[in-house]
Amino acid sequence: MFGGREIEIIEIAPSDDAAGVLPGSDFIDAYSVSIGLSAAPDARTAALRMVSDRPAWIGALMTLRNILVAPFGLVTDTSEARDRVGIFPVLEQSADRIVLGLDDKHLDFRVIVELRKTSVECSVVATTLVATHNLLGRVYLAMILPFHRVIVKAMLARVP
């Protein structure tokens, strides 16, 4: 249950072509929420719903993250990116799929938000890929994974 609403968010197998978005990924996962055909937005709108007006606890975690990683010279500001969804630079976009991501010295990450439609339903799928470059990247990934899973589910719950 999210925000008083009964919303089922499930972990699913990433699509077969997801790994091609970030070759050499050390981590990949995917979560899905069904939203119904009549409510189906385009991929960019779904991604905007995920990151807009994020809960205060997610903002607090991101602030803490930025404070902790700043001494290591890791990216804490993506304001130079011309096209962004929230804090995430847009790397690729179509009506049914948007790829957000960033390359940094410790790791590269991608978030794919895509719509999967059938004749009876539409699901929004968020796939995360991470490729680490060094020990700092591996340690960082290990530290954020427990939070990542909770955050992705909370963000997907904002789409319907």
Side-chain angles (χ1 to χ4, degrees), residues 45-110:
T45 301
L48 283 167
R49 288 179 187 170
M50 289 173 64
V51 301
S52 296
D53 298 322
R54 65 185 179 206
W57 63 270
I58 293 177
L61 283 175
M62 292 304 296
T63 299
L64 178 62
R65 176 251 182 226
N66 289 342
I67 291 167
L68 293 174
V69 303
F72 299 100
L74 304 183
V75 173
T76 59
D77 181 9
T78 60
S79 61
E80 291 181 16
R82 283 182 269 143
D83 188 14
R84 291 182 297 154
V85 170
I87 63 170
F88 304 108
V90 175
L91 304 177
E92 176 186 317
Q93 180 178 338
S94 68
D96 289 338
R97 177 173 154 155
I98 189 167
V99 179
L100 312 170
L102 188 66
D103 296 343
D104 204 349
K105 61 184 173 186
H106 68 307
L107 59 76
D108 302 339
F109 79 90
R110 303 291 183 268

Side-chain angles (χ1 to χ4, degrees), residues 7-159:
I7 297 173
E8 183 179 18
I9 297 165
I10 57 171
E11 186 168 11
I12 63 171
S15 64
D16 292 336
D17 66 339
V21 172
L22 188 60
S25 299
D26 300 299
F27 173 81
I28 184 171
D29 71 359
Y31 290 88
S32 176
V33 62
S34 181
I35 61 169
L37 282 174
S38 62
D42 62 15
R44 185 182 189 98
T45 301
L48 283 167
R49 288 179 187 170
M50 289 173 64
V51 301
S52 296
D53 298 322
R54 65 185 179 206
W57 63 270
I58 293 177
L61 283 175
M62 292 304 296
T63 299
L64 178 62
R65 176 251 182 226
N66 289 342
I67 291 167
L68 293 174
V69 303
F72 299 100
L74 304 183
V75 173
T76 59
D77 181 9
T78 60
S79 61
E80 291 181 16
R82 283 182 269 143
D83 188 14
R84 291 182 297 154
V85 170
I87 63 170
F88 304 108
V90 175
L91 304 177
E92 176 186 317
Q93 180 178 338
S94 68
D96 289 338
R97 177 173 154 155
I98 189 167
V99 179
L100 312 170
L102 188 66
D103 296 343
D104 204 349
K105 61 184 173 186
H106 68 307
L107 59 76
D108 302 339
F109 79 90
R110 303 291 183 268
V111 176
I112 305 167
V113 177
E114 63 186 323
L115 306 180
R116 294 187 185 168
K117 298 176 185 175
T118 68
S119 60
V120 294
E121 75 169 357
C122 178
S123 295
V124 176
V125 176
T127 303
T128 304
L129 301 101
V130 180
T132 60
H133 301 307
N134 51 38
L135 178 61
L136 177 60
R138 291 186 292 280
V139 169
Y140 179 84
L141 179 59
M143 289 175 51
I144 65 157
L145 278 182
F147 301 102
H148 160 78
R149 291 179 174 102
V150 173
I151 290 171
V152 170
K153 289 178 181 181
M155 291 172 74
L156 270 174
R158 302 175 71 72
V159 174

